[in-house]
Structure formats: structure tokens, C-alpha cells
């Protein structure tokens, strides 16, 4: 049985207290929400904080406020189950509820939060293993080793951004609010992710994610399609989020974001170019899907044969865009 290492556990009641404790803990501190990602990682000794600070008792992080007219604000500690069931999210942002429903299992969704999902560690077949397994291959670049087993000549880690909500939040243009002892800042979700499996977030470790701000629902629609082995539960090995704005039957703006194939979500700008200025018809959808196929470059570090996952980028983009035709 894998056991957790010893650590100090803090349960602050205010944001000010949480960021103060996190600031004082320095490099050995880490926030935890539902713990469905962090605690397994600690058991495998991939992450070994000595001071763990819960964000579950911070009232501001547990609220959902406003609606689609003005834009919805979702606290970072809202659970995935609440996202799946919330009437306003289902009415105004069905794509968010749909993507959340595909995440892991009902039990894990009861514990897992939207904030933890957006800040998930990157994943790789050579990394998501217990300590002894990783020791058996002399570890790897991401933790304790000096070679990448996926691309041995590479100085970069290619572990994969594997969240279902990340491509959706990037596609719809969500904003993220962070707090620390230095104050607050708000960034676009698209600006958070870095294309490096080790240093995967443009965020200081002491910054607390406070909430996610969804844009007003003024004339856009979005959809999400997920590829995984088991329908009951599994991480995405490809996720396609599509977002379009239309006016008088023509697409005026579009974003296609691929998740689950690289250390950060991948925007397919060529797909947007194929769609903008025209009706959302089959020819345009085929051209956008071809652009996604060309740009998708999955590696051999998650489930399924990677060449097949590349083929699926075309199919899943077709499905995501056809969902928006009705
Ligand atoms: C069996 C299994 C299957 C899974 N399947 C999927 C899946 O299909 N799709 C998917 O997307 N995910 C999946 N997950 C991953 C995970 O369950 C979810 O992503 C979940 O939403 C993580 O949320 P959490 O609150 O448990 O995060 P935690 O484990 O608490 O935290 C995750 C990370 O976020 C940081 N963090 C959390 N909250 C904050 C905050 N407010 N501010 C700053 N940092 C913070 C933590 O320090 C940690 O680094 C799966 C996990 C398991 C164990
Ligand atoms: S991509 Fe390479 S360095 Fe990164 S986790 Fe996998 S094997 Fe390790």
C-alpha cells in the first residue's frame, strides 16, 4: 500500500490567512483543494510538500455568483459535482457542465474542484507510476532523473496537460483571479499554461486561484469532445473545445483548442481562419478539422497509439464543430 509522507496540515478560514501561511511556508508549501490529484502524487513521491494548506474553508472560493447576462464567477473550491448540477451553469454554460461531467468518477467529482482541475499536474506514462517503478528506470527529467524517456535527446519534458476543463476555459475566454501576499491579478485562462511538462504554469507557486470568471453569453456557442479509453472514467488523451460567434448566419470569430496532446492546450489558429467570414457549413468544418489534424503532434506518453490520436484530432474537431451547427 502506498502511504502519504508526513506533512503539516493547515486549514485557514480567510484568503489573507491562506496566502500568509503559504508565503511563510516557502518552497515546501503547497495548496490543496479536493486532493484528488495532489494526494496520489504525494503517495508516489512526485510532489512532497511539508506544509499543505487547504483552500476548502475559504468562503469566497466556495461561491457561484451572477449569471450568463453579466458573466458568471465560479469560486476555485467549487466541486465538480456542483458544476455538473448547477442550474445556471447548465442553462447558460452547458459546455462547462458537459466537460465537467466527463471528469473521472462521481466520487472523485464530489471531492475534486474546478480550481484543482485547472491547475492539474501534467501527466506521462513514465511519471504517473509509484516510486519503485520510477526508480527502476532511474527516474526521468520531470522528477529526480536526468533523461526524458519519451524523447531522450530532448532537454524538455513533454508530459501532457490532461484536464477536461482547461481547453474549454481557454476556448470560451475565461479569466482567472489569483491572490498572494503581493496582491491580486487577473489573467486570461489562455495565458496560464506553459508548453513545458515541468514548468507548466505561468504562475508563482504561492499564488492562490480565487475564482474563474466566465464571459457573458452574448452570441457565442461552444462544445467539447473527449477521447478516452473507458467511457466510465479516464483522463482525456485528446479533448477538442470549439467556440464560435456568429452574426447573420456567418461566423465572426472562432477558437479551436486541443487538450490532452501537449504540455499546454494547443490553439489551432488555421482552423479559425477556415471558419471566419463564412457560414458554419460542411466545407468549412472539413477545412478546420484538417488544420487540427496537421497541427496535432501527440507523443507516445499517454494511452493509445499516438499516430491514431493524431488522426482522431480530425474526427473530434469534426464532431465538436458539427455540434455547433444545430
Ligand atoms: C482516477 C482519477 C481519474 C481522473 N480523471 C480525470 C479526468 O478524466 N479528467 C480530468 O480533468 N481530471 C481527472 N482527474 C484529476 C482530478 O481528479 C481532477 O482534475 C480534479 O478536478 C482535481 O481537483 P482537486 O480539487 O482534487 O485538486 P487537488 O489535488 O487538490 O489540487 C491539484 C493542484 O492544484 C493546486 N490547487 C488546488 N486548488 C488551488 C487553488 N485554489 N489555488 C492554487 N493552487 C491550487 C494544488 O496545489 C495541486 O497542485 C482524475 C483523477 C483520478 C485520481
Ligand atoms: S515527458 Fe519525459 S521528462 Fe516528462 S514525464 Fe515523461 S519521460 Fe519524464
Amino acid at each position: 500500500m502506498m502511504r502519504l509522507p508526513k506533512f503539516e496540515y493547515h486549514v485557514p478560514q480567510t484568503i489573507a490567512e491562506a496566502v500568509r501561511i503559504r508565503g511563510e511556508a516557502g518552497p515546501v508549501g503547497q495548496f490543496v483543494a479536493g486532493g484528488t490529484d495532489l494526494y496520489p502524487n504525494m503517495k508516489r513521491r512526485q510532489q512532497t510538500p511539508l506544509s499543505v494548506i487547504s483552500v476548502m474553508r475559504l468562503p469566497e472560493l466556495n461561491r457561484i455568483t451572477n449569471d450568463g447576462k453579466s458573466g458568471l464567477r465560479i469560486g476555485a473550491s467549487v466541486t465538480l459535482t456542483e458544476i455538473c448540477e448547477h442550474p445556471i451553469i447548465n442553462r447558460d454554460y452547458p459546455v462547462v457542465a458537459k466537460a465537467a461531467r466527463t471528469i473521472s468518477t462521481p466520487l472523485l467529482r464530489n471531492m475534486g474542484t474546478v480550481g484543482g482541475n485547472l491547475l492539474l499536474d501534467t501527466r506521462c506514462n513514465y511519471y504517473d507510476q509509484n516510486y519503485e517503478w520510477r526508480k527502476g528506470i532511474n527516474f526521468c527529467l520531470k522528477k529526480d532523473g536526468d533523461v526524458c524517456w519519451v524523447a531522450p535527446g530532448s532537454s524538455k519534458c513533454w508530459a501532457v496537460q490532461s484536464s477536461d476543463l482547461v481547453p474549454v476555459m481557454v476556448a470560451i475566454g475565461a479569466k482567472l483571479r489569483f491572490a498572494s501576499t503581493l496582491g491580486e491579478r487577473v489573467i486570461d485562462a489562455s495565458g496560464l499554461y506553459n508548453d513545458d511538462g515541468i514548468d507548466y504554469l505561468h504562475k508563482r507557486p504561492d499564488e492562490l486561484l480565487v475564482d474563474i470568471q466566465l464571459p457573458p453569453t452574448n452570441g457565442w456557442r461552444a462544445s467539447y469532445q473527449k477521447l478516452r479509453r473507458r467511457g466510465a472514467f479516464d483522463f482525456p488523451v485528446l479533448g477538442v473545445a470549439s467556440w464560435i460567434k456568429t452574426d447573420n448566419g456567418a461566423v465572426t470569430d472562432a477558437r479551436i483548442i486541443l487538450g490532452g496532446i501537449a504540455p499546454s492546450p494547443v490553439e489551432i489558429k488555421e482552423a479559425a481562419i477556415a471558419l471566419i467570414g463564412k457560414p458554419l457549413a460542411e466545407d468549412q468544418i472539413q477545412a478546420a478539422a484538417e488544420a487540427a489534424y496537421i497541427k496535432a503532434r501527440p507523443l507516445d506518453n499517454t494511452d493509445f497509439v499516438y499516430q491514431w490520436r493524431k488522426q482522431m484530432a480530425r474526427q473530434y474537431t469534426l464532431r465538436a464543430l458539427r455540434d455547433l451547427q444545430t
Side-chain angles (χ1 to χ4, degrees):
M1 187 211 281
M2 289 191 293
R3 290 182 187 280
L4 278 171
K6 286 209 160 77
F7 60 91
E8 266 179 28
Y9 185 61
H10 302 270
V11 189
Q13 308 290 316
T14 64
I15 290 179
E17 191 189 356
V19 298
R20 179 184 56 74
I21 298 173
R22 179 66 191 85
E24 286 168 4
V28 299
Q30 192 158 353
F31 290 119
V32 69
T36 63
D37 187 48
L38 181 64
Y39 291 142
N41 285 359
M42 288 174 68
K43 287 181 178 176
R44 295 188 290 247
R45 305 309 192 256
Q46 293 158 314
Q47 289 170 324
T48 49
L50 299 176
S51 178
V52 174
I53 301 133
S54 169
V55 300
M56 295 307 278
R57 299 283 169 82
L58 308 176
E60 213 177 322
L61 274 67
N62 282 294
R63 290 185 202 131
I64 298 179
T65 49
N66 302 340
D67 61 23
K69 277 195 194 121
S70 50
L72 196 73
R73 210 174 260 264
I74 308 177
S77 298
V78 168
T79 66
L80 296 169
T81 298
E82 286 173 88
I83 301 272
C84 296
E85 293 175 354
H86 197 272
I88 292 173
I89 297 181
N90 277 284
R91 185 191 69 195
D92 295 345
Y93 302 92
V95 65
V96 173
K98 180 185 170 187
R101 273 195 284 275
T102 71
I103 297 172
S104 50
T105 65
L107 288 178
L108 283 160
R109 291 197 293 271
N110 288 343
M111 292 298 296
T113 64
V114 56
N117 189 261
L118 298 182
L119 301 171
L120 204 61
D121 192 8
T122 51
R123 296 181 60 79
C124 171
N125 286 343
Y126 295 92
Y127 172 71
D128 292 300
Q129 305 288 349
N130 65 35
Y131 183 84
E132 285 70 28
W133 193 102
R134 290 187 294 117
K135 191 175 173 195
I137 60 162
N138 215 8
F139 303 102
C140 76
L141 265 188
K142 184 160 160 73
K143 177 79 177 134
D144 300 328
D146 53 14
V147 72
C148 169
W149 296 111
V150 173
S154 168
S155 57
K156 172 180 157 179
C157 165
W158 298 88
V160 176
Q161 211 299 317
S162 304
S163 147
D164 284 298
L165 284 175
V166 165
V168 170
M169 294 299 180
V170 172
I172 70 175
K175 292 187 185 297
L176 310 175
R177 179 158 65 112
F178 290 98
S180 72
T181 50
L182 302 179
E184 278 194 7
R185 68 180 181 122
V186 177
I187 63 166
D188 289 330
S190 60
L192 180 61
Y193 302 97
N194 187 29
D195 193 32
D196 180 321
I198 297 171
D199 190 15
Y200 48 89
L201 296 174
H202 288 296
K203 151 186 158 5
R204 291 195 323 274
D206 65 313
E207 285 183 296
L208 172 76
L209 177 60
V210 176
D211 59 29
I212 299 103
Q213 300 164 18
L214 307 190
T217 53
N218 52 355
W220 58 263
R221 282 176 300 138
S223 70
Y224 180 65
Q225 288 285 333
K226 169 175 181 171
L227 173 67
R228 56 179 159 178
R229 186 175 289 269
R230 294 167 293 188
F233 89 105
D234 254 333
F235 281 92
V237 290
L238 168 70
V240 181
S242 64
W243 172 93
I244 56 162
K245 254 184 140 166
T246 50
D247 189 24
N248 275 330
V251 175
T252 56
D253 204 356
R255 274 193 291 272
I256 307 294
I257 310 291
L258 307 190
I261 57 160
S264 62
V266 179
E267 178 166 6
I268 313 293
K269 293 217 163 96
E270 298 76 3
I273 292 167
L275 297 171
I276 293 171
K278 298 158 205 148
L280 188 64
E282 192 55 25
D283 283 356
Q284 285 72 45
I285 291 178
Q286 293 278 354
E290 198 56 28
Y293 165 73
I294 291 168
K295 189 108 179 255
R297 292 204 178 85
L299 290 175
D300 192 14
N301 58 352
T302 63
D303 198 5
F304 290 130
V305 176
Y306 68 100
Q307 295 95 334
W308 183 76
R309 282 164 60 218
K310 179 173 171 66
Q311 302 272 349
M312 288 303 106
R314 184 194 283 121
Q315 295 307 322
Y316 278 63
T317 305
L318 286 175
R319 289 184 194 179
L321 285 167
R322 284 175 186 154
D323 275 356
L324 299 178
Q325 278 186 307
T326 48

